[in-house]
Amino acid sequence: MKSGISSEAHRAGLKVDQDRLWNSLLDMAQIGARDDGGVCRHALSSEDIEARALLIGWAKQRGYQVSVDAAANLWVRRSGKNDDLEPVVAGSHMDSQPAGGKFDGAYGVLAAFEALVAMDDAGVNTRRPVDLVAWTNEEGGRFDRGCTGSSVWSGAMAVADYLDDVGIDGVRLGDALLSTLAATPDLPMRPDTWTAHAYVEPHIEQGPVLEAKSIPIAAVTSIQGVRWMNVMIRGKGSHAGTTPFAVRKDAFQAAVRSIDALNRLMDDPDDVTRFTVGRVVLDPNSPNTVPDSAMFTIDFRHPDKQVLEDKAAQIEPLIRQAASPCTVEIVPTTTMDPTPFPEQIVGGIERAAERLGLQSIRLPSGAFHDALYAAMACPSGMIFIPCRDGLSHHPDEWAEPADCAAGARVLTATLVDLANS
Amino acid sequence: MKSGISSEAHRAGLKVDQDRLWNSLLDMAQIGARDDGGVCRHALSSEDIEARALLIGWAKQRGYQVSVDAAANLWVRRSGKNDDLEPVVAGSHMDSQPAGGKFDGAYGVLAAFEALVAMDDAGVNTRRPVDLVAWTNEEGGRFDRGCTGSSVWSGAMAVADYLDDVGIDGVRLGDALLSTLAATPDLPMRPDTWTAHAYVEPHIEQGPVLEAKSIPIAAVTSIQGVRWMNVMIRGKGSHAGTTPFAVRKDAFQAAVRSIDALNRLMDDPDDVTRFTVGRVVLDPNSPNTVPDSAMFTIDFRHPDKQVLEDKAAQIEPLIRQAASPCTVEIVPTTTMDPTPFPEQIVGGIERAAERLGLQSIRLPSGAFHDALYAAMACPSGMIFIPCRDGLSHHPDEWAEPADCAAGARVLTATLVDLANS
């Protein structure tokens, strides 16, 4: 097998139906569809519940076993010869950014579903079961801390750690979780955390590389490290027309000075560093009142653990200095070191692509994914396909039907050999 | 009269009852009261309607004639010997900032009401009627463009110009106006605009000068000029973890560069210039999405017309240069040149203060007020009283009972002589 993949895996990969997969993507994209062609499907929202119902319906038509766990991760099992063996898991998430696209997350779930169906059509009967998973709240678009479901499954976090998180709509995560689980009372519950044989997640690249090189497949080697934090700066609200600069404590101007300092810290000629201030909330946010407080988020990522830690350590002192005389409170929301994927999985993906006549390269992941947590629980990896202009987290997000099918073929073949090992 | 004020005016001024005025301020502050001791009473909101009902009740108890106009300005008339003569008008506004205080606006309305009552108690019968006015939406805290009511009354704007304005709560101004008028169906309607004999507005200074000098009264000489605008910067939303800086169009970073440039433009060693960015709204405002658009407000004020115009002219080119490659759209929301008040009113206020044994100084107004529009329609002026720490537009806003009464005494005496002229 070092030199290739099994003929069964190859046969199953070829059974992937491009139109069937594409239509499932379009059907799913109608749930939470935005007028601009994008998708807004917040985690644990009514749209999320609707998306789950759609997938469950398809799974039951195919006779797969559907279950759920306390983090509302949704599981779809295609049985193997021995369901007592640890399953091979494939999937991604179905929640989206507020102004998200049709592919980020949904593609991984639907490519995994297409893989199960392709195995049926190829008459493949694997040794191990193959489980599809749709993880809960990967994006962190509604509830700040992303990868809720996969972090619980991996054992890194407990469901209880998240219950009091409050969404941008003011809803408590625990309450949203409850109403989501209540929508599928017939589903059996699985344990929160258990061990799998392997995990493979297909996803659009969300970067420009594959499209630029006209290569359909990337075997992902690692996920860069992440530091997310919320910065709260408190000043003193006062009248914009009468308060001299000398006596102002303008929380937003303090935030601007802080962000200027952070921009200098994050400056990177190689353009590998990723630094983003994506959310800003002022109070009272009134045009002629000097801001009393300013909250902003920091999203900082780097593939090099050392660089990540060195720069992260400088963030708080820099902001405290820049924000004076305002006070500063910084709350880390997500802290994740770079995660390498094992050669066993990366090589398997490469061999599957080669056998299926699809060109591939090795790439690190710029985005972070549920695979990052899954990698704590079992050997894991990812398959990237190209997306137009490297764009994602945007209504214009787009992947070509042929590329979507190519990724599903590689996934199917990879899963079959993993499920037989 | 050049040398002083009438004994009738002096007698009426002395009839101002500090406790009665103070209690009316506390009663009014209960409407829209915040847990932090502040007030949130948005224009044309249910709280505003409640505040109007309270004032109408007091006015009817005293037998004054209450009326309203199409801009929902509320009018309370104390008749004179000849009600066919142009009335003398006094008042301010009852709407507040979202995190506002008990005095900004409300003090001017209630001091004017106390003045009418003091005239009753002094048995004064003026030649002209004296009208109290509570103007609609001075703050611009809910509907961006402030001084809605006074600008209509002055003839500078028409009610129709405002109807399609949308509040921060998404409500159309026209609809909020309708529900406010519907709450007082029994009130006679006055014309939108007409000419008064004079207008005097009492207000807390909203600045640090009177408190620092321990002087209870300022005769306001002018209101500084104002340039308000909304700046919309449009970039391209993309994934925070994968999009290289080189290809980003980060609308918020473009806003930060713009604000840095504006800070340099507005730098003023004399600390006379007032420049504030009080509202910022990002879209999608999600922690790990590069902002697609960033809207921010500019509040720029200066007492010198030339400086105001010169700097204002540089704002748009500066932002366009700083925000590149993002696109910029700037919409002026309020444009007002500095407004001097006539010596007739300023001197009258000074003489009233002197006769009542109250120390006074002349001051320009750092804030802008309804008096700024009233000055277009008739000779106008303002009386300032001290406020603690010069603070306003903040829950901690505070004025001492004795200072509130002093301002009302000066107002009463000033109004009596104006109403007899």
Side-chain angles (χ1 to χ4, degrees), chain A residues 34 97-99 104 138-141 144 168 205-208 224 228 230 236-248 250 252-253 256-257 259-260 263 266-268 271 273-292 296-299 301 365-369 390-394 396, chain B residues 34 97-99 104 138-141 144 168 205-208 224 228 230 236-248 250 252-253 256-257 259-260 263 266-268 271 273-292 296-299 301 365-369 390-394 396:
Chain A
R34 292 163 48 100
Q97 287 288 321
D104 181 354
E138 190 271 349
E139 292 291 358
D144 270 7
I168 53 175
E205 180 196 342
Q206 307 183 264
Q224 67 184 349
W228 282 11
N230 292 343
K236 178 83 167 173
S238 58
H239 192 291
T242 61
T243 315
F245 288 130
V247 301
R248 288 189 182 201
D250 185 325
F252 179 59
Q253 287 286 354
V256 168
R257 293 193 300 273
I259 291 162
D260 283 334
N263 285 338
M266 299 300 180
D267 181 52
D268 177 4
D271 210 350
T273 303
R274 302 282 176 262
F275 167 64
T276 307
V277 175
R279 178 180 294 165
V280 175
V281 178
L282 305 190
D283 182 74
N285 207 35
S286 179
N288 58 346
T289 302
V290 174
D292 192 57
F296 67 90
T297 56
I298 290 177
D299 178 325
R301 316 187 193 203
S365 170
F368 84 123
H369 297 282
L391 188 66
S392 71
H393 288 195
H394 192 282
D396 296 343
Chain B
R34 293 163 49 100
Q97 286 288 321
D104 181 355
E138 189 270 351
E139 291 292 357
D144 270 6
I168 54 175
E205 179 196 342
Q206 306 183 266
Q224 67 184 349
W228 283 11
N230 292 344
K236 177 81 166 174
S238 59
H239 192 291
T242 61
T243 314
F245 288 129
V247 301
R248 287 189 181 201
D250 185 324
F252 179 59
Q253 287 286 355
V256 169
R257 294 194 299 273
I259 291 162
D260 284 334
N263 285 338
M266 299 300 180
D267 181 52
D268 177 4
D271 209 352
T273 303
R274 301 283 176 259
F275 167 64
T276 306
V277 175
R279 178 180 293 165
V280 176
V281 178
L282 306 190
D283 182 74
N285 207 34
S286 178
N288 59 345
T289 302
V290 174
D292 193 56
F296 67 90
T297 56
I298 291 177
D299 178 325
R301 316 186 193 202
S365 169
F368 84 124
H369 297 282
L391 188 65
S392 71
H393 288 195
H394 191 282
D396 296 344

Side-chain angles (χ1 to χ4, degrees), chain B residues 157-415:
Chain B
M157 303 281 285
V159 174
D161 300 333
Y162 289 110
L163 296 180
D164 291 329
D165 286 10
V166 175
I168 54 175
D169 52 2
V171 175
R172 191 170 161 276
L173 187 141
D175 299 339
L177 192 60
L178 206 63
S179 49
T180 303
L181 291 174
T184 55
D186 57 317
L187 294 187
M189 294 290 289
R190 285 177 88 154
D192 297 5
T193 177
W194 43 272
T195 313
H197 181 63
Y199 172 77
V200 183
E201 179 169 2
H203 208 284
I204 57 172
E205 179 196 342
Q206 306 183 266
V209 180
L210 288 177
E211 182 188 42
K213 295 179 183 288
S214 304
I215 291 177
I217 299 292
V220 180
T221 53
S222 69
I223 295 180
Q224 67 184 349
V226 168
R227 296 289 186 275
W228 283 11
M229 47 199 92
N230 292 344
V231 181
M232 171 58 84
I233 296 182
R234 293 191 176 81
K236 177 81 166 174
S238 59
H239 192 291
T242 61
T243 314
F245 288 129
V247 301
R248 287 189 181 201
K249 284 188 180 178
D250 185 324
F252 179 59
Q253 287 286 355
V256 169
R257 294 194 299 273
S258 303
I259 291 162
D260 284 334
L262 292 172
N263 285 338
R264 287 189 294 274
L265 172 67
M266 299 300 180
D267 181 52
D268 177 4
D270 302 330
D271 209 352
V272 170
T273 303
R274 301 283 176 259
F275 167 64
T276 306
V277 175
R279 178 180 293 165
V280 176
V281 178
L282 306 190
D283 182 74
N285 207 34
S286 178
N288 59 345
T289 302
V290 174
D292 193 56
S293 73
M295 190 287 287
F296 67 90
T297 56
I298 291 177
D299 178 325
F300 167 44
R301 316 186 193 202
H302 202 282
D304 181 322
K305 187 168 189 287
Q306 198 54 52
V307 176
L308 192 70
E309 286 174 349
D310 291 350
K311 287 187 186 282
Q314 297 178 59
I315 289 176
E316 180 152 356
L318 264 182
I319 293 178
R320 290 200 180 283
Q321 184 177 27
S324 172
C326 297
T327 63
V328 176
E329 182 187 357
I330 300 182
V331 179
T333 50
T334 301
T335 299
M336 194 68 56
D337 289 335
T339 301
F341 293 133
E343 179 58 30
Q344 165 201 0
I345 307 293
V346 180
I349 291 166
E350 267 184 337
R351 290 191 297 275
E354 184 182 10
R355 181 76 170 81
L356 288 159
L358 297 163
Q359 216 188 336
S360 75
I361 54 169
R362 293 189 169 211
L363 272 186
S365 169
F368 84 124
H369 297 282
D370 291 303
L372 180 151
Y373 279 99
M376 300 177 184
C378 67
S380 301
M382 294 188 73
I383 299 165
F384 277 170
I385 63 168
C387 56
R388 189 169 61 200
D389 302 330
L391 188 65
S392 71
H393 288 195
H394 191 282
D396 296 344
E397 184 180 272
W398 184 260
E400 291 302 325
D403 292 331
C404 292
R409 287 198 176 85
V410 173
L411 173 68
T412 306
T414 305
L415 293 177

Side-chain angles (χ1 to χ4, degrees), chain A residues 42 59 102-103 111 120 168 196 199 268 271 276 314-315 321 358 375 395 397 415:
Chain A
H42 279 301
K102 301 179 175 70
F103 301 90
D120 292 350
I168 53 175
Y199 172 78
D268 177 4
D271 210 350
T276 307
Q314 296 177 60
I315 289 176
Q321 184 177 25
L358 297 163
E397 184 181 272
L415 293 176

Side-chain angles (χ1 to χ4, degrees), chain A residues 195-217:
Chain A
T195 314
H197 181 62
Y199 172 78
V200 183
E201 178 171 1
H203 207 284
I204 56 172
E205 180 196 342
Q206 307 183 264
V209 180
L210 288 176
E211 183 188 42
K213 294 179 184 289
S214 305
I215 292 178
I217 299 292

